[in-house]
Amino acid sequence: MPRPMTSVLQVVTLHAVYPSETYVVPLSPYLEIGTNFTATCMIINSTEVTADDLYWELNKTIVPKEQYTKINTSALNVTVHVTGEKPGWLYCLCKKASPYFPLNKGKLIHGIILTKGYRPGKPENVSCMAVQKERFISKAFRCEWDAVGRQTTDVPTSYILYVDVTKTMLYNVSTGENHAQVEFVDSFPDHMMLEIWVEAHNKLGKTQSEHLSRDAGSFVKTNPPSDVKVISEKSFTTSLLINWTHPIASEYVRLSYQIRYCHNGSQSWTYVPLDDTAKDIQSFRLQSLQPYTVYVVQVCCKNNKEGHGYWSNWSTNATKRTPEDRPSKPDLWRIIAEGDGINQRQVQVICKHPALLSNERISRFNIKVQDLKDQLKNGSLEPESIPVNRSHSGSFTVLKQIHLADQESVKVFVTAVNSVGISAEESLAVSEKALELPAVSDLKVRPRGGRLQLDWKPPNSTRVSEYVVEWVSGDNIDWAEGKNEKPGAPPIKGILEKFVCYNVSVYPIYSGRAGKPATRTVYLEQGAPLEAPAVRLKGKPGHNEAELVWNEIPQRSLRGFITNYTIFYSSGADAHQITVPAKTTSYTLKSLERNTKYDTCIKASTINGSTISSNHSFTTLVYAPGEMEGIVVGVSLGFLFLFVVTMLLCVYKKDAIKENIWPRIPNPLESTIGNWSPDYPLKVETPKDNGLCGVSVLDVDICDGKCMFEEDKASLALKKDKYLSEEHSSGIGGSSCMSSPRQSVSDSDEGGDMADTTASTVQYSSVVASNGYKGQTPNSQPQQAVFSRSESTQPLLDSEENPDTLLQECGRQSQRVSRGPCSSHAEGNGDIIEQQEVLEPLDFCPLEEDCEQVTPADSSYRPQLGGYRPQ
């Protein structure tokens, strides 16, 4: 029950301190944590300040004014709640400054330190002991107790142990621990009353424990019995006699004893009831033991007065084997499995291994098998002798294997033989499969106290005589029989191991025939699995998912029932976990990132622990399966579609494409030249296919230039200037072989303009000399003046656009032409026909030696060169 709040009044004197006075820190009070503390601040020898000028500060925190109480003009109370274990300062401060107080900036100050602690708790469970030393009880008397409550370092709790011997002699000893020891003066006070108690005290108070008043012998712990001996008597095959010696004389302490025993090598002890040994005895007979079995026996003792006292330690082990006896009935059972053929069963008749029954020393078994359906066929069965292989390991031995059809039933009779005699006969029936009898219901198996406790409901039949409980772990099998009086009994008493899985089955026995079993799986104690399943990837991971698979943990490594699996997977700092049921062996991780490395592991959990497997890493794909192929196919189809569309456009728009890319250029070889003359009708001549590309050349001797009249030269120069002043432009298609139409100039002095202009035709004219070209022999007959005009649409050449360049080229070439006598050229002047149009310079010279520029001697003749650029 919590202690009520208490208040302590502490007076704090606050006065003016002059430089000549000495300041003394007041004594610190001890306060109980959890209580209220009230302090008073009084003003003495000063009228400068009043109680209204004072305030309180606790642990550097100003106390609220609600906790102040003004007594008068010179006194102020404060009430604070004590909390925390560390000491704290409580200050009374003044708001005004005083010129007589040089410290703290002239402000008055006074304070105390609060030391905090807890009241001592009442000691509990006081116990004392005096041990035996040699043949007497030691004078040292040791006691211990349980300290109750808390304590702080500033307010520690101390203890005083008091021992009062029959109210005549009081012993006490102080300690800061929870134990102490007193020494009796001469000897231990045997058969005397002792009163014992403990007092706890500190600065805040004190308290006492309960008083113990007992006989001194009840605090004694003696040595264990000595000289423990076990005697085996041949005539008593199931009994052993135990003798021992008292550890101390009965004059000091009268003792009672306790005995326990077990099979050699076992830790399952059997205790003799205390009612049989609660006497001052020195011998005892153990009964109902197994023959020819080694037993381990131990004995301890204590004071038997009033039930108090301490048991001594157990004596050292005393071992002995019981005498050999005739074997007991064999403990038979059977294991039924499917046979090799259809409707066949394989039955193994087994019994507890003789090596485990050390009391038997069985040398052989006699076994007989009886067919229950054909009693006459059996007749007098001869027993089959089966020797015992004592080197065989395991909890059972197989006596015989029988192959039965499902409709057959047999009964097996077995006896055991040793050097003393033959055991009683034991039988076991195996019914036909179709006649299996009902099983028990509501079977429950639960671990309890290191054993497996079973409970079930019996079948609705009065023929059930007993039950057989079978428990199997791996290749080991064991069983026990129980009567029908108490369903659920017996509990499994065999040696069971922790962390091992047992299949527990209960068989009802109907007049010697076993019914159907009811089976449960159970662990005596569960733990974490020894290993976790190894997780791996099934197939290849996808771009955003991966399927993980694992195998079940082997039975030997389970150590419990798997409750669930937890899958951990992470990529960098991004970690995830998923919990799946215990029966799951695969899981698909989804919503993963593309082209990302993942580390994954799995944790297998039971109710008492878990184990994590090693990591397994995988990397997701950049593309999903078939995604890359789809992209390639899509792009390929796109290009194919684009190609087909392009080809179709080329087919349907070939004329427009041809017109834009390859413009139509006339073939000079296929052009038609119209022959025309002012005096003669126009005559079309078929162009000759020659290297000059339809060019007519006027052959004029160079000497003729010298014979020209000066006025003709002037006239020619004027006409040349007029020609050069004409604006030239490109013709159709922008070809270098085409030009805009030219303006024809008459040879008359009036300079009359004769224009032959068309939008699409360029007319070229040439004058052909009557005396032949380049020295060719002309026809002797007089030739008529012939004017030839080309109807070509070819634009002018570059040289036509720049006549000055052409004149310069032709001037250079003309210098290389051989000259004849001037007289001969003069004679031919009359044969030269005057050209109607203005002389145009040659745009292209097919051959260098053929490119000549001549000047006619007669100014009345204005020869002109013209031609086409060959293709």
Side-chain angles (χ1 to χ4, degrees):
M1 184 171 61
R3 187 179 301 276
M5 305 286 281
T6 62
S7 60
V8 179
L9 180 61
Q10 176 71 32
V11 178
V12 179
T13 302
L14 180 65
H15 60 92
V17 179
Y18 297 95
S20 60
E21 296 185 3
T22 303
Y23 184 79
V24 180
V25 178
L27 296 178
S28 171
Y30 291 91
L31 305 179
E32 182 181 357
I33 298 174
T35 62
N36 290 333
F37 170 69
T38 300
T40 302
C41 185
M42 300 178 61
I43 304 172
I44 300 175
N45 301 329
S46 177
T47 58
E48 299 180 13
V49 295
T50 65
D52 296 332
D53 299 322
L54 303 180
Y55 67 96
W56 294 90
E57 184 179 272
L58 177 61
N59 295 331
K60 299 182 180 180
T61 302
I62 297 177
V63 180
K65 293 184 178 181
E66 291 78 7
Q67 298 177 223
Y68 299 170
T69 300
K70 182 179 178 181
I71 299 176
N72 50 43
T73 58
S74 61
L76 180 68
N77 282 358
V78 67
T79 300
V80 295
H81 187 69
V82 181
T83 59
E85 296 183 355
K86 294 183 178 181
W89 279 94
L90 177 64
Y91 289 104
C92 179
L93 302 174
C94 181
K95 302 176 184 177
K96 293 183 179 181
S98 174
Y100 304 103
F101 192 56
L103 301 178
N104 195 36
K105 298 181 180 180
K107 293 184 179 181
L108 298 176
I109 181 172
H110 195 87
I112 58 174
I113 186 170
L114 306 182
T115 304
K116 308 170 187 178
Y118 299 93
R119 284 185 175 272
K122 181 179 179 180
E124 296 179 353
N125 300 326
V126 179
S127 61
C128 300
M129 180 186 296
V131 298
Q132 180 180 352
K133 187 176 182 182
E134 296 179 356
R135 303 298 296 178
F136 307 98
I137 304 301
S138 173
K139 296 185 297 181
F141 193 70
R142 179 182 173 85
C143 297
E144 60 183 22
W145 55 90
D146 294 336
V148 178
R150 302 168 63 182
Q151 56 180 312
T152 62
T153 57
D154 296 317
V155 186
T157 300
S158 300
Y159 301 93
I160 301 176
L161 172 63
Y162 294 94
V163 179
D164 188 0
V165 181
T166 62
K167 304 294 183 179
T168 60
M169 185 176 294
L170 181 63
Y171 297 88
N172 64 81
V173 61
S174 297
T175 180
E177 305 294 335
N178 64 337
H179 55 82
Q181 178 176 298
V182 298
E183 293 282 341
F184 295 113
V185 178
D186 295 323
S187 62
F188 183 80
D190 296 301
H191 308 293
M192 300 180 71
M193 291 299 295
L194 302 179
E195 185 177 3
I196 306 165
W197 72 93
V198 177
E199 180 183 276
H201 61 92
N202 62 14
K203 297 291 185 180
L204 296 176
K206 61 182 178 179
T207 184
Q208 291 183 358
S209 67
E210 298 291 340
H211 289 225
L212 297 178
S213 296
R214 294 178 187 173
D215 183 81
S218 64
F219 299 104
V220 172
K221 179 179 180 181
T222 65
N223 294 332
S226 59
D227 299 330
V228 179
K229 297 179 181 179
V230 181
I231 300 172
S232 175
E233 301 169 304
K234 188 174 182 180
S235 56
F236 302 100
T237 58
T238 60
S239 174
L240 290 174
L241 182 62
I242 307 172
N243 293 329
W244 63 86
T245 303
H246 291 306
I248 192 172
S250 58
E251 291 80 9
Y252 297 105
V253 182
R254 297 184 65 86
L255 302 173
S256 61
Y257 295 88
Q258 185 175 18
I259 302 172
R260 67 180 184 178
Y261 62 94
C262 68
H263 294 107
N264 188 25
S266 173
Q267 296 298 325
S268 179
W269 295 94
T270 301
Y271 291 82
V272 177
L274 291 177
D275 295 339
D276 298 336
T277 59
K279 303 173 184 178
D280 190 11
I281 58 178
Q282 290 183 281
S283 65
F284 188 82
R285 181 177 291 275
L286 298 177
Q287 301 183 55
S288 301
L289 304 180
Q290 294 180 356
Y292 204 73
T293 302
V294 177
Y295 285 92
V296 178
V297 180
Q298 292 180 342
V299 183
C300 68
C301 60
K302 75 166 187 173
N303 187 352
N304 65 353
K305 183 180 293 187
E306 298 180 3
H308 297 289
Y310 297 95
W311 286 105
S312 69
N313 297 330
W314 290 100
S315 64
T316 57
N317 292 346
T319 60
K320 198 68 177 180
R321 184 188 295 274
T322 56
E324 187 177 4
D325 195 7
R326 189 181 70 162
S328 59
K329 289 195 304 183
D331 191 357
L332 298 182
W333 192 235
R334 83 289 186 276
I335 301 175
I336 301 177
E338 296 294 332
D340 297 334
I342 301 176
N343 299 327
Q344 294 288 327
R345 292 177 296 168
Q346 180 177 339
V347 180
Q348 290 183 334
V349 180
I350 62 176
C351 74
K352 295 290 180 66
H353 199 283
L356 300 177
L357 304 176
S358 57
N359 60 319
E360 306 275 323
R361 294 192 69 187
I362 298 174
S363 59
R364 70 178 187 275
F365 291 97
N366 295 329
I367 183 170
K368 295 185 296 183
V369 180
Q370 182 183 26
D371 189 348
L372 296 179
K373 289 189 175 182
D374 193 352
Q375 300 290 342
L376 298 177
K377 179 181 177 181
N378 294 319
S380 58
L381 296 175
E382 291 293 332
E384 179 183 355
S385 180
I386 300 175
V388 173
N389 180 12
R390 303 193 69 85
S391 62
H392 173 73
S393 61
S395 60
F396 64 92
T397 182
V398 178
L399 300 180
K400 190 174 182 62
Q401 291 190 2
I402 306 173
H403 296 278
L404 294 178
D406 290 346
Q407 64 275 13
E408 293 180 341
S409 60
V410 296
K411 192 172 186 178
V412 181
F413 302 90
V414 180
T415 58
V417 180
N418 67 0
S419 60
V420 177
I422 300 176
S423 70
E425 188 177 64
E426 178 70 310
S427 63
L428 177 69
V430 180
S431 303
E432 56 183 297
K433 188 173 184 180
L435 296 179
E436 290 184 346
L437 300 172
V440 300
S441 59
D442 296 337
L443 175 61
K444 297 178 181 179
V445 183
R446 61 181 66 89
R448 179 178 297 174
R451 294 186 178 184
L452 294 178
Q453 185 67 41
L454 288 79
D455 188 19
W456 66 81
K457 293 182 180 180
N460 296 326
S461 176
T462 58
R463 298 169 53 194
V464 177
S465 59
E466 60 181 355
Y467 299 91
V468 174
V469 179
E470 175 191 76
W471 58 97
V472 180
S473 63
D475 296 333
N476 296 325
I477 183 173
D478 203 350
W479 63 93
E481 297 179 1
K483 298 300 181 181
N484 190 28
E485 290 84 8
K486 186 180 179 182
I492 296 178
K493 296 181 181 180
I495 301 175
L496 302 177
E497 299 180 11
K498 298 178 180 180
F499 317 126
V500 175
C501 181
Y502 291 96
N503 293 320
V504 180
S505 302
V506 176
Y507 294 82
I509 305 300
Y510 297 85
S511 301
R513 298 171 182 264
K516 292 182 178 179
T519 305
R520 297 291 183 271
T521 302
V522 67
Y523 285 86
L524 181 63
E525 183 177 337
Q526 299 188 54
L530 292 178
E531 61 181 81
V535 64
R536 65 186 185 278
L537 204 63
K538 183 178 181 181
K540 294 182 178 180
H543 70 293
N544 64 347
E545 64 180 24
E547 184 177 3
L548 303 177
V549 296
W550 60 90
N551 296 327
E552 292 185 353
I553 303 175
Q555 185 67 44
R556 66 180 181 276
S557 302
L558 278 176
R559 292 164 58 92
F561 295 111
I562 299 298
T563 56
N564 57 68
Y565 293 106
T566 304
I567 302 172
F568 299 92
Y569 64 99
S570 61
S571 60
D574 189 12
H576 305 274
Q577 68 180 52
I578 298 173
T579 301
V580 297
K583 298 298 183 181
T584 307
T585 57
S586 64
Y587 188 82
T588 300
L589 302 179
K590 298 182 179 180
S591 300
L592 304 179
E593 298 293 334
R594 295 172 179 260
N595 193 27
T596 304
K597 181 181 178 181
Y598 284 90
D599 295 324
T600 181
C601 62
I602 188 169
K603 179 177 71 174
S605 303
T606 65
I607 60 174
N608 286 337
S610 58
T611 304
I612 300 179
S613 68
S614 57
N615 283 355
H616 177 77
S617 300
F618 65 90
T619 303
T620 54
L621 301 177
V622 179
Y623 301 101
E627 184 177 359
M628 190 62 185
E629 292 80 355
I631 294 175
V632 174
V633 171
V635 172
S636 301
L637 292 177
F639 277 112
L640 179 60
F641 176 78
L642 183 61
F643 177 77
V644 171
V645 170
T646 303
M647 294 306 296
L648 291 176
L649 289 176
C650 292
V651 171
Y652 286 103
K653 300 292 183 177
K654 61 180 181 179
D655 294 338
I657 295 173
K658 181 178 179 182
E659 192 69 26
N660 291 328
I661 298 178
W662 299 286
R664 182 174 176 275
I665 299 176
N667 189 351
L669 300 181
E670 297 177 358
S671 63
T672 301
I673 299 176
N675 296 321
W676 59 274
S677 171
D679 300 326
Y680 300 93
L682 182 66
K683 183 179 180 180
V684 179
E685 294 182 0
T686 301
K688 296 180 180 181
D689 188 7
N690 51 41
L692 297 179
C693 302
V695 176
S696 297
V697 179
L698 177 62
D699 189 9
V700 180
D701 194 281
I702 296 175
C703 296
D704 293 338
K706 296 181 179 180
C707 301
M708 293 178 60
F709 295 103
E710 294 297 330
E711 59 272 13
D712 290 336
K713 291 181 180 181
S715 176
L716 181 59
L718 290 174
K719 291 191 175 188
K720 175 181 177 182
D721 292 338
K722 183 179 181 179
Y723 172 79
L724 293 178
S725 65
E726 294 291 335
E727 183 178 348
H728 298 263
S729 62
S730 184
I732 296 174
S735 172
S736 59
C737 296
M738 305 177 69
S739 64
S740 60
R742 291 292 185 264
Q743 190 177 27
S744 297
V745 179
S746 175
D747 57 345
S748 64
D749 294 336
E750 289 80 8
D753 294 334
M754 297 177 63
D756 185 9
T757 60
T758 63
S760 61
T761 303
V762 178
Q763 296 182 355
Y764 297 90
S765 58
S766 59
V767 178
V768 179
S770 61
N771 60 344
Y773 172 63
K774 295 180 67 91
Q776 297 178 2
T777 305
N779 192 355
S780 58
Q781 296 179 359
Q783 296 182 357
Q784 296 178 350
V786 178
F787 297 86
S788 297
R789 174 173 292 180
S790 172
E791 300 297 334
S792 174
T793 59
Q794 178 177 347
L796 296 177
L797 302 179
D798 292 338
S799 58
E800 293 177 307
E801 299 288 344
N802 298 280
D804 293 336
T805 305
L806 178 61
L807 292 177
Q808 294 175 3
E809 285 292 331
C810 291
R812 286 192 300 266
Q813 294 178 4
S814 63
Q815 295 176 2
R816 294 192 297 268
V817 178
S818 302
R819 286 194 175 189
C822 294
S823 59
S824 59
H825 288 285
E827 293 175 359
N829 287 340
D831 297 332
I832 297 177
I833 303 173
E834 183 180 359
Q835 186 178 356
Q836 182 180 357
E837 296 184 13
V838 177
L839 176 66
E840 293 182 357
L842 181 64
D843 182 58
F844 176 74
C845 297
L847 296 176
E848 184 178 354
E849 58 273 13
D850 294 334
C851 188
E852 296 178 356
Q853 179 68 38
V854 295
T855 303
D858 190 354
S859 59
S860 62
Y861 295 100
R862 290 179 294 273
Q864 179 182 356
L865 299 180
Y868 292 94
R869 183 186 302 273
Q871 300 227 342

